[in-house]
Each structure stands twice: as structure tokens, then as C-alpha cells.
Amino acid sequence: MEKENKVLPYLMMLPSILLMSLVVIYPIIMGVITSFQQQESGGYGFENYRYFFENDYHTTGIWYTLKIVVITVVAAIAISYLLAIFLRFSNTPISRLMGKLYILPRFIPALVAVNGMITVIRDSGLINRISQVFGYNLHLNMMYDEKGIILMNLWFNIPFATMMISAALSAINDSEVEAMRDVSASKTMIFTNLILPLTYRDVFVAATFIFMSNISSFTTPYLMGATYPKMMGVTLFDLYNNFHYGRAAALSVIMFLFSSVAASIYIYINMRKDKWEVGR
Amino acid sequence: MTKLAKKLIAVGLLGGLMITTFTGCSSSSSSDSKTVTIWAQGSDNTKMQLEAQAERFNEIQDEYEAKVEFIITGTGTQGVNERVLAAYKAGQTDTMYDLIEIDDGKISGLLAQDAEDLFLEIDKSQLSNHINCRYEPSDSAEYMVPYRGTTVLLAYNSNTVPNPPSTMDELYQWIKDNPGRFAYNPPNSGGAGASFVVATVYNQMEESALTSSDESNKQYWDAGFEILADLHPYMYQSSGKVVYPNKNQGTMDILASREIDMTPVWADMFISQQGLGTMPSEMKVTQIDPPLTGNLVGFSIPSIGSNSEGALAFINYMLSAEAQNIALESMAALPVIDFGLLDPEAIKSIETLDVKEFRNSSLGTLQTELYDKWDMDIAPLN
């Protein structure tokens, strides 16, 4: 057997590490430094951070962002899990059609999808017009509100989460399910004792990805959100455009910290091995 | 070991090659002395106009080749001004930012970012067509040559509002008499709403304050903000809450869908969209007294550009009667030269707009503070 070259793998990784350092790691370090820099005096301190936590306008915005993101994650995962199970274990024309259709939103550009959603759900939108045909004047009250943002987030994230969970479910053999049925296990038992242990890891991975991509979202809340409170991504845009670079950097770091919490859950879940998995 | 050394050298060379390729890109493309790269941002109508201008400029002379780089706002990318500032701060000296289109209100804010020599001073005696230019920016005039004016007007639904208000006070009264039927966009998200806010605040002050960046003027802002706070409950509502839709287009959309009857709009956006048919024909525009404010838009030459002669030649072209006609026809831009020099047919399109009186606002660095104050004081009201 040829001796394993210990240096070669590192050499092969070198170009991507160099590139990462240049376009990701270096800007992160610079961002953190800028966040401690005071714009007026040029000195260093926590002033930019204090600004966000001593100002009701911004604390409300941060809580508002977290609320929307948490609701998005929980709802997207719940719906996607059910959808993925349905697609995996049902074999009807409807499930086959849905299996092809659910992926469609991923091919529609974000801006187009947001504008499309707006024309449907706004108070003078398609749904309102249809209701007028039947003599009602239905106002969904979803535009410029967190409900609209969450609906739009679900549109973007359900296909993604369903795809990830479906991949995990496809690893379960029909024979394993049949084996449990043979010993007269109920559907709940099949779920808790077979499906859940085999898929929970992918569910968490999907959840962390949804969390991280939504905490910094911009287009949806900018076009569909209320004037106040604002999601963090929109506030960041405003701060940057008005030359408050130190504060913008501090808010970026705050967003980064929230994402890091999600990322550490991701890493923990991935590293951890269940008892039955040891040696697998 | 020698094998390993060879590999290391190879990778090192590869890395070096990558770096030189990256830097090579930026310098080789800007060293072409003929090309003048013009940067601008905004809505599509501005893009069409500038591209038409560049094409014509390239037809009538051979010395320079104009190229337009355009950034559509609201797509998440950073604007031109911030990019130029970033390049300047990064110590670049030979960039493709030869010429940028800029609002007169923006310049002093950029210079205040510890970037006093961000722009070249423009010697206007070198511009043969400048003699016809009727407007001068009130602030930082040495760094900018205006080529068009834009103004904000009051758009209204002529079916539901047969007699639109003619003064600002009548407008305030109309808003209170018709709750939920008026909207303006947050000043940070677009100039139409900003103009309504600036006019409301500065109508309560000396007229000269409107073109001053004097910090002491801030103490007189409160009267105007009281009016804005007073109007707040009568604004457009959705989900039972007052909403100020983002972007100039945000309020135009709800006017077009008849959710509101009145909103401030940019004259050029309104005309373009009525031409396209996305703004229904019963929507009309009018100017009120004292007028909603406008801006001068012009060109500045970043000191880090690589073709200042070409930039000057393009500015001079933009002040010619021909270029002014193109701007007028393609985006209903207000000309900065004598109307007598222009195509009388084209003038008609803006005469109906009643924008003869052009009220320029230029608050410099105060503008940002005013918008921030609106975010803090007006947006969170319930």
C-alpha cells in the first residue's frame, strides 16, 4: 500500500483557504474592529453596541427580528416535515405531482416572488378582487405586517427544508417500516422510534440554515415590512447608507453572534454520535 | 522532500498568479485613456436616458468613448457614492470611477467622511456650454455641474379628488378630512417622501435655511415635526396600523391600485409610468404652494478616476441643447439651460406639469440627521 501523503491534502485546500481568508475572514476581522471604533473621536469602546441596547427603537427591532425568525423556523420545519413524510410514504398521483411541484419556488428569483406575493395578498390585491366578485371586500391585512413577511419566508424555506428532510427520509428502507408494522407498531410508534431518530439531525440542520438565512434577510422585510419596527437587515441598510459605519459594523457583529449560536448547534448536532451509531 | 518542495513552489506560484490576475484586471481596464466610465444609480428611466446620451456622445466625437455603468436601486447592492468612497478609503488612485452622477445634496455628506479631496474641483471656464446653465448648486458648487433638475409633485386621483389642494395648509386639512387616503414613503427610502418631510419642516423656517447645512438650524425643526406627528394618525393604514410604504415606488403602487388618493411623487417617475400605462390615466399631478422641493442632479469627477479630460468633455456635452433635449424627452428631466434653446415640442410635456418654479433643497449633512430624526420620532408613533 502506498504511504499516505500527509501534506498533499493541506496543499489542495490551500487555494480555497487563501480565498476564504481574503474575502471572508479578513472582512469579518475588519468588521469587528470597526464595530469598536468611535466615529467621532476615532477611539475604541463599546459605544456602538450600547447604542443598540439603550435605544428602544433598536431593541424593539432586534426582538421583532428574532420573533419573526423563530416563527419562520418552527412553521417551516413543521410544514416541511409533514410534507416530506407525505411525499415519502404516500404513492398516489397527487403525491407524485406535489413531489415535482414543491421545488418550483426555488427556481423563481426572490424579487419576482416577493412582488408576485405582494400583488396577491395586498389589500387591493388578487384575493381582494376575487372577494369583490362575490360581494365581499376582504382585507387580508398582511402587507406591511409581520404576517406577510412570515408567509413569504415560508415560501422560500419550505422547499429547502422539505428537500433536506426528504433526503434523510429516503435513507429509511420500506423493509424497516414493514418490520415494525409486522410487530403491530402504531403509526406514532413508527414515527417516534424509527423516523424521528433517523431524521432529527437533518431537521436541526435545516432549522439552523433557515435561522441563519432569515436573521439577515433584507428584500422581503424591506418591501413587505412595516415602517416600524424594522428587521435588522433593513436597519443595517439604513445605517450603512447614512454613513454610520461603526454602528452598522456593531449590528453586523450582533447578527453574526445570533448566527453563531445557530452554527454551534449545527456543529454540536453533527459531531454527536448516538449510542447505536457508534462504530456504524 | 524535494518532491514536497516542488509542490510548495508550484502552489506558491499559483497563489501569486491568482493575486496578479486579480489586480491585473482592475488596472488594465482603467489604463485605456480613451474610455470614460460614467457611474449612476436610480430607476430605469435614468438608465435609459444616460445610455442614450452616451451613445450620442460617442457618435459626435472620436476622442473619447463613453460607457455607462448603472446600478438599479433597491437590488441590495451598494450605491455608487458608497462605492467611490470605499475605493477612495482603500487608497486606490487609478479607478474606473471617471465620472459619477450625483444629487447636489449628497456631496457635502461624502466630503464630511474624512474625504475632503474625494472630488476634483471643476474649472467651469473649461466648459464651453456652461455659459447657458442657469442653476448653481447652493452647496459644494466647485465639485459639481448640474445637468438636470428633478422635482416632487403631488399626485392625486382626479376621480375621487376633483379639486386638489393648492396650498400646503389645504393639503394638511385634506389629509385630516380623509383619513387613510394619503401616504408618503419614509424619507430614508426615497426622495418623494423626503421632499414632503423637508417641505413640512422647512416651511416653518426661513426660506434660506433650505439651502444651508448650518447645524444651528436644527433647533427650528420641532414645529415641522409637530405637524408630521399630528398628521400621523390620518395616514394610510394596513392591518390597523399606520404604514409608510418603503421607496418612492411603494406609495405610487398604492396610488395606482387606488388604495390611496394622494401622494408625493417624483415628476419624472410619474410621467414615465403614465407613459407605460402602469399609472392609470385618471391620476394627475399638481404643484402646491409653497412647492414641494426638488434636487439638482449633475456630475462630479472623483479624484481617483483615470480620465478627467474625458469626464469634462462628457459634462460639456451634457449641457448642450441636444443633450438637454434627450434628457427632457427620455425622462421628462427639467432642463438646466434656457428653455428658448430647446425643442419647443418637447418643452410642452413639462409645461403641463406646472413645474416652472423649481424649489431646490440642499441640506448637506443635515439631511441625514433630519431623516434619522424622522425614523426615531415619527415612525414609532402609534
Side-chain angles (χ1 to χ4, degrees):
Chain A
M1 211 170 102
E2 203 182 327
K3 203 179 143 223
E4 203 179 312
N5 191 332
K6 284 209 173 112
V7 186
L8 189 64
Y10 294 100
L11 281 179
M12 291 176 80
M13 279 163 65
L14 192 65
S16 69
I17 289 175
L18 279 178
L19 203 61
M20 282 276 284
S21 323
L22 200 70
V23 301
V24 180
I25 298 169
Y26 175 71
I28 288 177
I29 295 168
M30 287 308 289
V32 173
I33 293 173
T34 313
S35 73
F36 288 105
Q37 218 161 20
Q38 268 137 35
Q39 199 139 359
E40 306 280 301
S41 62
Y44 290 88
F46 284 94
E47 201 148 291
N48 294 323
Y49 289 92
R50 220 175 290 142
Y51 171 76
F52 287 101
F53 294 105
E54 284 177 356
N55 191 325
D56 278 350
Y57 182 87
H58 289 297
T59 43
T60 315
I62 291 172
W63 283 115
Y64 178 73
T65 308
L66 287 176
K67 178 181 159 196
I68 287 183
V69 175
V70 168
I71 294 176
T72 301
V73 169
V74 172
I77 291 295
I79 296 169
S80 304
Y81 212 158
L82 291 175
L83 180 61
I85 290 174
F86 171 70
L87 293 176
R88 167 68 183 82
F89 295 107
S90 162
N91 192 14
T92 58
I94 294 174
S95 73
R96 282 194 294 273
L97 182 69
M98 280 177 73
K100 290 190 180 78
L101 283 181
Y102 86 88
I103 210 79
L104 209 60
R106 292 204 66 78
F107 295 101
I108 297 173
L111 211 56
V112 176
V114 174
N115 276 305
M117 184 66 86
I118 290 174
T119 53
V120 173
I121 64 163
R122 72 180 319 146
D123 284 354
S124 61
L126 180 71
I127 293 176
N128 173 264
R129 277 159 211 228
I130 292 174
S131 79
Q132 285 183 9
V133 174
F134 296 100
Y136 297 97
N137 191 11
L138 182 67
H139 283 176
L140 291 179
N141 285 333
M142 289 183 110
M143 263 305 275
Y144 310 116
D145 190 79
E146 58 203 53
K147 294 192 288 286
I149 301 179
I150 292 168
L151 181 69
M152 201 66 228
N153 286 347
L154 291 180
W155 158 280
F156 286 120
N157 291 301
I158 287 174
F160 166 75
T162 309
M163 225 156 64
M164 287 202 64
I165 299 170
S166 289
L169 286 173
S170 66
I172 300 173
N173 289 326
D174 283 341
S175 59
E176 290 168 335
V177 180
E178 279 155 20
M180 281 194 77
R181 280 206 186 119
D182 285 346
V183 292
S184 63
S186 68
K187 280 184 178 164
T188 336
M189 282 169 74
I190 296 177
F191 179 75
T192 51
N193 292 319
L194 178 71
I195 298 175
L196 196 60
L198 283 171
T199 52
Y200 83 96
R201 186 165 296 164
D202 299 82
V203 170
F204 269 100
V205 171
T208 48
F209 274 114
I210 295 173
F211 183 90
M212 286 193 280
S213 63
N214 281 288
I215 199 150
S216 57
S217 69
F218 170 73
T219 308
T220 309
Y222 188 59
L223 294 175
M224 298 179 76
T227 317
Y228 173 86
K230 278 181 191 156
M231 282 186 78
M232 285 194 269
V234 181
T235 307
L236 187 61
F237 179 75
D238 287 342
L239 289 171
Y240 198 84
N241 280 342
N242 290 337
F243 306 118
H244 302 305
Y245 295 139
R247 289 172 187 171
L251 186 60
S252 306
V253 173
I254 293 170
M255 285 160 80
F256 183 77
L257 290 177
F258 282 127
S259 290
S260 318
V261 174
S264 41
I265 294 173
Y266 168 79
I267 293 170
Y268 171 75
I269 294 283
N270 260 306
M271 301 290 273
R272 156 186 164 152
K273 273 197 191 295
D274 286 318
K275 265 185 216 148
W276 56 269
E277 275 182 311
V278 177
R280 187 170 142 148
Chain B
M1 228 25 220
T2 50
K3 216 175 170 183
L4 174 66
K6 270 184 193 166
K7 275 177 192 159
L8 274 174
I9 291 167
V11 172
L13 283 175
L14 188 72
L17 192 69
M18 273 168 60
I19 291 163
T20 47
T21 326
F22 281 133
T23 50
C25 277
S26 56
S27 57
S28 66
S29 44
S30 62
S31 62
D32 180 358
S33 65
K34 210 170 166 252
T35 307
V36 191
T37 314
I38 300 139
W39 291 75
Q41 64 190 342
S43 305
D44 198 52
N45 56 355
T46 313
K47 179 171 184 263
M48 310 276 276
Q49 187 254 133
L50 282 175
E51 281 172 353
Q53 301 283 19
E55 198 177 313
R56 185 66 194 136
F57 177 74
N58 294 338
E59 272 168 24
I60 57 172
Q61 53 79 47
D62 292 325
E63 212 175 330
Y64 304 105
E65 178 82 22
K67 202 173 123 227
V68 177
E69 292 284 350
F70 199 86
I71 298 164
I72 299 273
T73 44
T75 48
T77 54
Q78 271 314 315
V80 174
N81 302 343
E82 289 81 10
R83 289 188 196 206
V84 174
L85 187 62
Y88 172 87
K89 293 261 176 175
Q92 296 202 28
T93 50
D94 187 29
T95 66
M96 286 156 64
Y97 298 112
D98 298 328
L99 189 62
I100 62 169
E101 197 201 58
I102 193 164
D103 287 1
D104 60 347
K106 293 275 161 61
I107 295 179
S108 52
L110 284 167
L111 300 180
Q113 300 306 308
D114 201 17
E116 296 82 13
D117 55 349
L118 180 61
F119 297 115
L120 295 180
E121 278 192 34
I122 299 174
D123 178 6
K124 286 167 186 171
S125 63
Q126 285 186 20
L127 303 167
S128 59
N129 290 330
H130 189 259
I131 198 160
N132 295 323
C133 184
R134 299 188 303 156
Y135 295 100
E136 270 292 293
S138 52
D139 188 37
S140 315
E142 64 271 38
Y143 297 116
M144 182 220 191
V145 181
Y147 83 95
R148 65 179 167 98
T150 63
T151 193
V152 174
L153 298 169
L154 186 68
Y156 63 98
N157 184 334
S158 62
N159 286 347
T160 49
V161 190
N163 302 307
S166 59
T167 68
M168 207 61 166
D169 289 334
E170 281 176 37
L171 173 60
Y172 297 150
Q173 194 54 50
W174 186 92
I175 292 171
K176 288 181 180 171
D177 292 344
N178 300 273
R181 305 304 295 175
F182 182 85
Y184 65 93
N185 60 287
N188 255 327
S189 77
S195 170
F196 181 79
V197 170
V198 169
T200 298
V201 172
Y202 277 79
N203 284 353
Q204 322 306 320
M205 298 162 61
E206 294 281 330
E207 186 66 13
S208 63
L210 196 55
T211 48
S212 155
S213 53
D214 187 352
E215 288 274 325
S216 65
N217 283 333
K218 284 199 289 194
Q219 58 183 304
Y220 305 110
W221 281 357
D222 291 343
F225 271 94
E226 266 171 40
I227 297 176
L228 292 172
D230 193 33
L231 291 173
H232 178 84
Y234 303 100
M235 291 288 143
Y236 168 72
Q237 299 203 352
S238 176
S239 321
K241 282 182 310 212
V242 165
V243 169
Y244 298 85
N246 269 333
K247 288 172 71 65
N248 300 321
Q249 192 61 47
T251 51
M252 291 181 80
D253 284 346
I254 54 174
L255 177 70
S257 64
R258 301 173 184 85
E259 283 180 73
I260 54 169
D261 293 324
M262 226 185 266
T263 186
V265 293
W266 282 111
D268 52 288
M269 283 180 79
F270 182 86
I271 294 174
S272 305
Q273 292 181 24
Q274 206 146 49
L276 288 169
T278 50
M279 180 59 74
S281 58
E282 75 254 31
M283 305 303 167
K284 301 266 194 295
V285 276
T286 184
Q287 187 54 286
I288 51 171
D289 181 44
L292 292 165
T293 58
N295 270 121
L296 285 171
V297 181
F299 289 109
S300 290
I301 307 178
S303 56
I304 55 172
S306 48
N307 193 349
S308 58
E309 284 89 24
L312 279 172
F314 189 77
I315 295 176
N316 196 41
Y317 158 77
M318 289 300 287
L319 293 174
S320 69
E322 185 182 14
Q324 293 283 304
N325 267 328
I326 293 177
L328 174 58
E329 278 167 21
S330 62
M331 63 176 290
L334 291 182
V336 294
I337 64 172
D338 256 323
F339 282 19
L341 298 165
L342 297 165
D343 179 3
E345 276 301 305
I347 287 289
K348 277 185 190 153
S349 74
I350 54 165
E351 265 177 352
T352 56
L353 274 178
D354 195 19
V355 284
K356 279 150 261 163
E357 199 189 339
F358 173 58
R359 191 179 179 208
N360 186 20
S361 86
S362 164
L363 305 176
T365 47
L366 281 186
Q367 182 178 304
T368 317
E369 291 189 44
L370 183 74
Y371 297 177
D372 279 352
K373 185 172 165 62
W374 187 93
D375 273 346
M376 294 293 165
D377 292 1
I378 304 296
L381 292 176
N382 274 313

